[in-house]
Amino acid sequence: MKNILVIGATGQIGSELTLELRKRYGNTHVVAGYIQGAEPKGELKESGPTEIVDVTDQEVIEAVVKKYQIDTIYNLAALLSVVAESKPKLAWKIGVDGLWNVLEVARMHGCAVFTPSSIGSFGTDTPHTQTPQDTIQRPRTMYGISKVTTELLSDYYYTKYGVDTRAVRFPGIISNVTPPGGGTTDYAVDIYYSAVKGEKFVCPIGEGTLMDMMYMPDALNAAISLMEADPTKLVHRNAFNIASMSFAPETIFAAIKKHVPGFEMTYEVDALKQSIANSWPDSLDDTCARNEWGWKPMYDLESMTIDMLQKLRAKL
Ligand code: VAH
């Protein structure tokens, strides 16, 4: 990777991925693509090139790829699971039509492409415990349907045109820089903010609801390590199961309460979020990622909690 374009560079993952890539590859080699209304600010804006890149406009993508001689595209443009249910056609337009634009430009200009899939690509018929790498995927959310389609479309461009497409199925990602926008797992970020602000947390996900989660540093390392991996070792490509921890609300609450003794939580279950969460796996089997490109998480719930509380106390 020499010249990289991050599409969706001001989102929850994109904003931290862009800075991490700039650290590893040099500021001038990583272009932050954003859409109007979501302009980069601060270090993201000052540390390297930025361009308006609307994933639904193939000509714009191509112009930026040519201008900076891009050889790798991280395509993070997507609506998250809850928002996607209220705007299904827009979710498809961004998630699938947008990816098609990226893949066409990648085909014409020889770019590698990373497009995250999600545990949301599994459905109620999928085995929930230690969900296998290769298994049934019949999600009933627009988010899931679009993610399964991005996996299949990315594989299609690899097998038919030789485009170097790679992807991981991200679990819920917990971070302290850019808040997530409209996801089912957002509660696992919001709970830390409530704890640091000294507020009671009202949890929208019911007790006992297991979901796979990951700390942002591990998620960034997964995306970059996969794109740096030896392609001859990859049996799978779109998309790898990756896992680091799986917990229910009461577990993350207890982990935080150990460090914030007065912290309190109640439940007000959100029906839509709960129905989506119920359709997702309880835990994933990530053996293929470990074997094919050396995936290994660094954080668990305790070490993530310590770091999150420390970073949010400094920030807030
Ligand atoms: C969401 N944070 O909740 C995203 C993610 C697996 C969860 O895809 O929609």
Side-chain angles (χ1 to χ4, degrees), residues 12 80-82 118-120 143 170-173 180 182-186 212 280:
Q12 180 195 12
L80 294 184
S81 55
V82 176
S118 162
I119 58 172
Y143 181 73
F170 276 135
I173 294 176
T184 303
T185 61
D186 293 2
D212 259 73
W280 290 356

Side-chain angles (χ1 to χ4, degrees), residues 124-146:
T124 45
D125 311 336
T126 306
H128 267 48
T129 305
Q130 286 299 299
T131 299
Q133 173 65 44
D134 300 309
T135 185
I136 185 168
Q137 291 176 277
R138 291 191 63 79
R140 294 201 181 94
T141 63
M142 178 44 70
Y143 181 73
I145 292 164
S146 65

